[in-house]
Amino acid sequence: MKVHGVTSLGRSVSSVLVVLVLAVAGSCGMPVPASPSASARPPASVAPGSPSAPPPASVVAGLPSPAARPPGTIAPNSPPPATTAVIVGRVTAGPVCPVERNPPDPACAPRPVAGAVIVVTYSGGATVVRATSEADGSYRVALPRAGTVIITAEPVQGLMRQPAPVTATVTAGETLSVDLEYDTGIR
């Protein structure tokens, strides 16, 4: 038994697959030939815009073509912009016991502070970035350029005093560790 139109259907499916591959490659920044080979074109009997014609590459899978993206935007799956330096640290609160013991009691170790707002400014006063500490007290700040920065923590409800500001000089490619400790007021 011979089924009519299978050859035509096979070519249409092949054409759509080639267009999809080219659209995805183009949206990821890969070079795409200016004129796809003849085998990638729909059969001559399919009119552009007809229901059986493949969609234009700019709308395949909802991805805009590189030319359709606004200037300054990043293509999907592109790496994030590079940073010059990174500051990491942990925010804690202590003391948590009224009497310090020697040797130290692990139950009296400073506790992590979640939700503390860390503000990093350059020495000239311009705020670079604000970060919020995680449940374990950790935070991470990516800086756009090297220089001298001031790291401060905003007040947290229920804690007596915020940490003293820390001034540090960061260099390109460096990861600097700065831990901050709030005072609980327990004595």
Side-chain angles (χ1 to χ4, degrees), residues 21-48:
V21 169
L22 292 174
V24 170
S27 70
C28 294
M30 296 174 64
V32 177
S35 174
S37 67
S39 64
R41 293 189 185 123
S45 61
V46 177

Side-chain angles (χ1 to χ4, degrees), residues 4-66:
H4 298 285
V6 171
T7 305
S8 173
L9 177 63
R11 283 190 200 137
S12 294
V13 170
S14 296
S15 298
V16 170
L17 289 175
V18 170
V19 169
L20 280 171
V21 169
L22 292 174
V24 170
S27 70
C28 294
M30 296 174 64
V32 177
S35 174
S37 67
S39 64
R41 293 189 185 123
S45 61
V46 177
S50 71
S52 60
S58 63
V59 296
V60 172
L63 297 174
S65 69

Side-chain angles (χ1 to χ4, degrees), residues 27-151:
S27 70
C28 294
M30 296 174 64
V32 177
S35 174
S37 67
S39 64
R41 293 189 185 123
S45 61
V46 177
S50 71
S52 60
S58 63
V59 296
V60 172
L63 297 174
S65 69
R69 280 193 294 276
T73 60
I74 298 172
N77 299 323
S78 294
T83 57
T84 299
V86 175
I87 299 174
V88 297
R90 191 162 183 255
V91 182
T92 57
V96 295
C97 293
V99 177
E100 291 187 23
R101 300 171 197 251
N102 197 4
D105 181 356
C108 293
R111 64 177 173 82
V113 177
V117 176
I118 311 304
V119 180
V120 180
T121 58
Y122 283 110
S123 60
T127 297
V128 177
V129 69
R130 298 166 65 90
T132 303
S133 62
E134 300 292 330
D136 65 353
S138 65
Y139 72 94
R140 182 181 190 280
V141 176
L143 301 174
R145 64 181 171 87
T148 301
V149 294
I150 302 165
I151 303 131

